[in-house]
Amino acid sequence: MRAPLSTTIAIGAGILTLLGFFISVEALTSVRSLLIEWAVLLAGVAGLVAIAHLLSVHWRKMTASRNRNVTSAFLLIAFGITFAAGMVLKPGHPTIQKVVTHIQVPIEASLMGVLAISLTVAAIRLFQRRGGWMSVLFAVSAFVFLILGSGFLSSAANIPVLKDILAAVNTLPVAGARGILIGVALGSLTTGLRVLLGTDRPYSG
Amino acid sequence: MSEIICPYCGSSNDIDALTCLSCKKPLYDDVEVPDNAPQQDGMDWLNTFRGFDTETNASTSIAEPGSESADAEPEIPEWLARIRALKGDEAPPLEEEEPLPPEEIPSLLEQDADLPDWIKEIKASDAPQSGEENNEDFPDWLKDLSDEENPTPEPEVSVGSGMVLPDIPDDLSLDEAAELNFNSQSEGAGPSEPVSLPMDTGELPDEFFRDIIVGQTQPAEEVDQSDLDWLDERADSNFPQGEPTAQPLDELDGQSLPTLEQPEPAPSAAETEPVESPELPEWMFESGEPAGNETAEPTEIDFAPVEDNLAGTGSEDLITAPQEAELPDWLLEDEAAPPAQGPEYLPEAPSDLEAGKMPGWLHAVRPIEAAAPNLVASAEESRIEASGPLAGYQGVLPGQGVVTHYSKPPVYSARMQVTDKQRIYATLFESLIADETRVGAPAAAKTKSSQLVMRLVVGLVMVVALLAILILQPGFAAFPTLVPPESVAFYDSVQTLTSAATPPRVLVALDYDPSLSGELRTISTSVVEDWMAGNSGLAFISLSPTGPALVSELVNAAAAQNPAYLTAERVINLGYLPGGASALAALAINPTRAAPTTMDGLPAWESLLLQGMTAVADFDAILLLTDNAENSRAWVEQVKPAAGDTPLLVISSAQVAPALQPYVQSGQISGMVSGFTGGAAYEQLTQSANGPVRRYWDAYQGGMLLIAALMLIGAAAFGIKKFVRRPK
């Protein structure tokens, strides 16, 4: 058996957490709360580790002897400034808030706009690149839901036949989402059982 | 103990045995060793052929009873000699030297009760019967042969004359065969009655067969008289003087006697015909006559080669028997030394005996060279190679004839026979391949440039159209008249809480990225305005690192529409909660420990807004702003059970709405506003004419219709293009 100590700790923590969820005993609830708080702290530390790794990667790119990446210097400089301002001004300061609302939000929103244009071009060229009934089905469905999502037909929803048709069409995404959720639930259950039984040990490396 | 150990070889024997079954030596000192036991020396039979040392062999191998101990003494181990010496001192001399009276002989026979039954039967049948009566037990064919071969009683005893001994064990066959022959000859018609039977050696051991050959091929007159001296002496010592030689010899039961060749003056012709013996194969005589030569005289056998080889050695007289022709050279050389006793061993001319027939099995085992020495050499072996590197060799496999005979290979036409239709198809296929190889590279460059142009054109069209709509605000898009039920439920919940006497305290969770803040902030601003209009206490918590900044932007945008709302007192920011689903679980169990402080570092749960609250259920409502389906599901699964009756309201992007619809339909989510369509429906319900959604509604609907139109145009254009280019 590989990593017996880690396996024992993982299975024990999982069983205690599961029992604390179903059995309302003070001891189990306290243990469960304690374990979950440890998990939250470890997740915060993992965030710090991720930041440190990001900085190290861009430092190596910037200091590499061949194929040096100059743009990594901008990232490192921006990170230093933001970190220093946050430590000095605190995260709730309006200046720190503007770093996010005036820099990060427009950039990410612009990326979403470019994505919208790219997807439009791809939809236009769909029949140029690939034919077949699947392409036709995808184009028809995209077209229909674009019209429905735009609210263009909402004014015509009072028509009896069209109302029923729109209701039936709007049910299709919900049906698909239910199937996905059922699959996700079964997958989560299986994964949890595998971890509790020691069959799946992602922590052993 | 039912066994006795042989003092010579140490092998185990039965207690009743007198001689050792292995070495044929006596087990007791008072028992004589039969001199006709299986001869250990396999070349003794040759000695009989040579004849020169018969006298010496007789003197050594056929020991007299009285001189047995003296002759065998050198072979006796020292320990056994001492035992015998002690035994001789203590015990009186054995009485074996004394002849047994005839009346005691039956008693000795009775002691053989342990012998097998068949031996007893043989003994019983042999003892009282004469020679003629003995023949009655033999098969008819055996009798006939016996009568034919011995028309008149001959004073000869031949041991190896072909007794059929069925199933005789190897150990007993020799002794018993000698015994039977002896009994039958001595008790039957007397020593002058021969028993000459056809030989059936299929079940006899080799040694017995060897003895038979010796006895058969050694005429009585050829045996030196000195060989039989021991018998005379034994007869003189064992039997009373004056007793006839036909005295019963049952006293010798259990002992095998040597081949008794009674010295008769007139031996039978069959016994004096060693060469013409039917049992001897032909190949045994290299220079002998063919087997079927019945009348051939032994003197007619051509012994010239052998005699020539022995010429000058003084042994010409030894070559008197045809068997000498088979002797190896080394033996012939040895024979040259002893003095010859030629005249006694000269084969006499056979009488009118007819030649015997060689058994089939002997024909089968004889060497093929003896039967057909010249057949092996075939014509091919005698062929001599005339050419090539093996020229001059004999017996080479013929190959020249095969090599020299060749023919010209047939010539087949390589021209394919095709029809006109096949030729047309081939031409068409060739042209198709040529087109494919010709248009490859230019088409790729053209496609790349056309893609870039298309992207630019599409991007410009969309940007220009949306900007024109946003700037012009044409107002062509009407708000939806039909509102989704989840939006109605959401609206009802908000109105119920804000219209209450006590201002509600709402936990607002921001779980979206800045990339989608344009959609979610626009939708949620009107909702937060309504909450602020109801003087609700808002506790913000974020599951995204950028969430706290987005909270400030959202609060500021909503508070701008509600100047009387005391943001500093009624709004608290609990900051970022890392850990995903685990953080939500911790928040559901004990929010005071999961988010103990505000963004400013102050104790959150000691403020006026959150004072007295220890659980999620203490909030009046939970409002979730999300663009992530997984985190939305985690909120439903982890927080909602701990919230109890506290309604969970969701404002989501359009892409997450289908994933949250099942939870809305199940009641786990009390109300939901999704996307611009939901925001428009909510503003429609609140009858807000200048809401944020309303400002973007024309651009949103116009952009969606423009994208749909571009897709339709592109599909039509490329579809028609492919249809036109499709080969007929």
Side-chain angles (χ1 to χ4, degrees):
Chain A
M1 184 178 181
R2 192 172 59 179
L5 182 61
S6 301
T7 304
T8 305
I9 292 174
I11 294 174
I15 291 175
L16 288 176
T17 304
L18 189 65
L19 292 177
F21 186 82
F22 289 109
I23 303 172
S24 59
V25 179
E26 183 62 25
L28 290 176
T29 307
S30 300
V31 172
R32 175 194 173 201
S33 176
L34 180 63
L35 292 174
I36 292 175
E37 287 176 1
W38 286 355
V40 173
L41 289 175
L42 290 175
V45 172
L48 294 177
V49 172
I51 292 172
H53 180 68
L54 178 67
L55 295 177
S56 66
V57 169
H58 284 277
W59 177 262
R60 286 198 299 269
K61 288 185 175 180
M62 187 183 67
T63 59
S65 58
R66 297 178 62 184
N67 298 327
R68 183 175 299 175
N69 192 355
V70 183
T71 55
S72 295
F74 290 97
L75 187 139
L76 295 175
I77 294 171
F79 177 81
I81 293 173
T82 306
F83 183 76
M87 295 300 292
V88 173
L89 301 176
K90 304 298 180 185
H93 195 272
T95 306
I96 300 299
Q97 300 291 329
K98 288 180 182 178
V99 171
V100 176
T101 57
H102 290 77
I103 298 175
Q104 190 168 358
V105 170
I107 292 174
E108 292 192 12
S110 300
L111 292 175
M112 292 298 292
V114 173
L115 177 62
I117 295 174
S118 300
L119 289 177
T120 303
V121 173
I124 292 170
R125 293 171 52 84
L126 176 64
F127 288 96
Q128 184 186 13
R129 304 284 297 182
R130 178 178 296 178
W133 64 274
M134 286 297 294
S135 299
V136 173
L137 182 62
F138 176 79
V140 170
S141 62
F143 182 81
V144 169
F145 284 102
L146 279 173
I147 300 297
L148 290 177
S150 66
F152 180 76
L153 297 176
S154 59
S155 60
N158 293 325
I159 302 173
V161 178
L162 188 57
K163 180 183 178 180
D164 296 337
I165 293 174
L166 293 177
V169 172
N170 284 324
T171 307
L172 295 176
V174 178
R178 279 183 179 273
I180 292 173
L181 288 176
I182 291 174
V184 170
L186 292 176
S188 301
L189 181 63
T190 304
T191 303
L193 287 175
R194 288 173 62 87
V195 173
L196 288 178
L197 295 175
T199 306
D200 192 3
R201 295 189 292 270
Y203 39 80
S204 60
Chain B
M1 294 294 291
S2 60
E3 62 180 8
I4 185 170
I5 305 300
C6 177
Y8 296 95
C9 63
S11 60
S12 177
N13 296 277
D14 190 77
I15 191 66
D16 297 328
L18 298 177
T19 59
C20 178
L21 296 176
S22 299
C23 61
K24 306 303 178 186
K25 293 182 177 180
L27 298 176
Y28 307 99
D29 294 337
D30 53 351
V31 176
E32 295 180 2
V33 179
D35 291 333
N36 65 339
Q39 299 183 19
Q40 301 300 324
D41 189 2
M43 299 300 293
D44 288 345
W45 63 279
L46 290 176
N47 297 333
T48 61
F49 293 158
R50 294 186 302 194
F52 66 90
D53 56 350
T54 306
E55 183 179 2
T56 59
N57 288 340
S59 61
T60 56
S61 62
I62 305 175
E64 296 180 359
S67 61
E68 176 186 3
S69 58
D71 295 336
E73 190 170 2
E75 300 179 359
I76 297 174
E78 183 180 0
W79 59 273
L80 186 59
R82 290 198 302 268
I83 293 174
R84 289 180 176 179
L86 293 175
K87 194 173 180 180
D89 295 340
E90 294 176 357
L94 296 178
E95 298 178 0
E96 63 185 34
E97 301 298 335
E98 297 179 4
L100 293 175
E103 59 273 11
E104 294 182 6
I105 294 176
S107 63
L108 295 175
L109 291 173
E110 293 175 1
Q111 294 177 0
D112 296 334
D114 295 335
L115 294 177
D117 296 337
W118 61 274
I119 296 179
K120 296 177 179 178
E121 294 175 357
I122 293 174
K123 289 180 177 180
S125 60
D126 290 342
Q129 293 175 355
S130 62
E132 295 297 330
E133 293 173 351
N134 280 336
N135 291 337
E136 295 177 1
D137 294 336
F138 295 123
D140 297 336
W141 61 273
L142 200 58
K143 296 177 180 178
D144 297 339
L145 291 176
S146 177
D147 295 337
E148 292 175 1
E149 294 179 357
N150 302 289
T152 56
E154 296 291 341
E156 181 189 6
V157 176
S158 178
V159 175
S161 58
M163 282 288 294
V164 178
L165 302 175
D167 299 332
I168 298 174
D170 294 342
D171 296 334
L172 295 176
S173 59
L174 295 173
D175 298 337
E176 295 299 330
E179 178 185 1
L180 291 175
N181 282 282
F182 180 79
N183 292 336
S184 60
Q185 293 162 6
S186 61
E187 297 177 8
S192 62
E193 180 179 0
V195 180
S196 180
L197 298 175
M199 190 173 201
D200 187 1
T201 58
E203 297 178 1
L204 295 180
D206 296 336
E207 296 177 356
F208 185 73
F209 177 72
R210 185 177 58 210
D211 293 340
I212 290 174
I213 294 174
V214 171
Q216 215 173 25
T217 57
Q218 186 174 9
E221 66 275 9
E222 293 179 5
V223 178
D224 190 4
Q225 188 61 33
S226 60
D227 294 341
L228 301 177
D229 292 338
W230 65 274
L231 191 59
D232 296 334
E233 295 175 3
R234 183 183 180 98
D236 295 338
S237 60
N238 291 342
F239 300 100
Q241 295 296 330
E243 291 286 337
T245 57
Q247 183 182 358
L249 298 178
D250 290 342
E251 59 174 326
L252 299 177
D253 285 349
Q255 302 179 10
S256 59
L257 295 178
T259 302
L260 298 180
E261 301 291 345
Q262 297 294 333
E264 295 295 333
S268 65
E271 297 301 330
T272 57
E273 185 71 22
V275 178
E276 302 301 330
S277 177
E279 284 75 19
L280 292 180
E282 183 182 357
W283 54 270
M284 295 180 65
F285 313 104
E286 294 181 357
S287 59
E289 291 296 325
N293 190 3
E294 299 177 355
T295 58
E297 294 291 335
T299 56
E300 296 176 2
I301 296 173
D302 187 13
F303 290 104
V306 179
E307 294 176 357
D308 294 338
N309 292 333
L310 298 176
T313 59
S315 60
E316 289 82 3
D317 296 336
L318 294 176
I319 313 303
T320 57
Q323 290 86 343
E324 297 293 340
E326 292 185 10
L327 296 179
D329 296 339
W330 60 271
L331 190 56
L332 294 174
E333 293 175 359
D334 292 339
E335 290 175 355
Q341 298 179 1
E344 296 182 4
Y345 295 94
L346 287 176
E348 297 181 357
S351 62
D352 54 350
L353 290 177
E354 62 181 12
K357 295 181 181 179
M358 182 183 293
W361 62 270
L362 196 55
H363 267 290
V365 300
R366 63 179 176 173
I368 190 170
E369 290 82 1
N374 296 326
L375 290 178
V376 180
S378 61
E380 292 184 355
E381 289 182 351
S382 60
R383 177 179 173 275
I384 298 175
E385 186 68 16
S387 62
L390 301 178
Y393 283 94
Q394 184 177 3
V396 179
L397 292 175
Q400 185 178 4
V402 179
V403 174
T404 55
H405 288 79
Y406 65 92
S407 61
K408 188 176 181 181
V411 178
Y412 298 100
S413 176
R415 188 171 184 178
M416 183 180 296
Q417 299 294 332
V418 295
T419 62
D420 295 339
K421 193 175 182 180
Q422 293 173 344
R423 187 176 294 105
I424 292 173
Y425 287 157
T427 306
L428 179 60
F429 182 70
E430 186 177 1
S431 63
L432 290 176
I433 295 176
D435 292 339
E436 290 292 333
T437 56
R438 191 185 315 114
V439 300
K446 185 178 180 181
T447 303
K448 191 173 183 180
S449 61
S450 64
Q451 288 181 2
L452 180 60
V453 171
M454 183 179 292
R455 287 175 185 169
L456 291 175
V457 170
V458 171
L460 287 174
V461 168
M462 293 183 66
V463 170
V464 170
L466 293 176
L467 286 176
I469 295 172
L470 287 174
I471 293 173
L472 298 176
Q473 289 290 335
F476 61 86
F479 263 34
T481 56
L482 293 179
V483 179
E486 61 271 14
S487 297
V488 174
F490 186 92
Y491 173 76
D492 293 341
S493 297
V494 172
Q495 294 300 319
T496 303
L497 292 174
T498 54
S499 62
T502 304
R505 290 180 293 186
V506 180
L507 176 64
V508 182
L510 259 73
D511 187 19
Y512 61 87
D513 292 331
S515 58
L516 294 176
S517 63
E519 181 187 12
L520 287 173
R521 188 187 62 187
T522 304
I523 301 170
S524 57
T525 298
S526 59
V527 176
V528 173
E529 289 176 357
D530 291 342
W531 287 113
M532 288 181 176
N535 197 21
S536 301
L538 302 176
F540 287 89
I541 191 171
S542 177
L543 298 178
S544 172
T546 57
L550 296 176
V551 168
S552 300
E553 183 185 18
L554 177 61
V555 170
N556 292 332
Q561 303 295 328
N562 296 285
Y565 185 74
L566 301 175
T567 308
E569 296 180 359
R570 304 300 294 173
V571 174
I572 189 170
N573 193 351
L574 298 176
Y576 167 60
L577 183 64
S582 300
L584 294 178
L587 180 67
I589 294 173
N590 192 353
T592 59
R593 297 183 63 176
T597 60
T598 63
M599 287 286 291
D600 298 330
L602 301 175
W605 303 96
E606 295 178 358
S607 64
L608 295 175
L609 180 63
L610 302 177
Q611 192 172 13
M613 300 180 69
T614 57
V616 177
D618 295 336
F619 288 97
D620 295 318
I622 299 174
L623 178 62
L624 174 63
L625 311 177
T626 181
D627 64 348
N628 192 314
E630 185 178 357
N631 289 341
S632 303
R633 185 169 53 85
W635 273 93
V636 173
E637 293 174 356
Q638 301 294 333
V639 179
K640 182 59 172 115
D645 295 335
T646 299
L648 176 63
L649 305 175
V650 176
I651 298 175
S652 70
S653 64
Q655 64 181 3
V656 182
L660 296 179
Q661 281 290 340
Y663 296 109
V664 173
Q665 295 175 0
S666 65
Q668 292 175 292
I669 295 177
S670 302
M672 183 175 69
V673 174
S674 59
F676 267 91
T677 306
Y682 182 79
E683 289 185 0
Q684 183 72 11
L685 292 172
T686 58
Q687 296 179 355
S688 173
N690 295 320
V693 176
R694 182 62 213 185
R695 292 195 297 269
Y696 296 101
W697 182 249
D698 290 342
Y700 171 76
Q701 195 175 61
M704 297 285 281
L705 294 175
L706 179 61
I707 293 172
L710 291 174
M711 285 183 59
L712 187 61
I713 293 171
F718 289 107
I720 293 171
K721 188 176 179 180
K722 275 196 170 182
F723 181 78
V724 171
R725 287 188 176 182
R726 181 176 298 173
K728 296 181 179 178

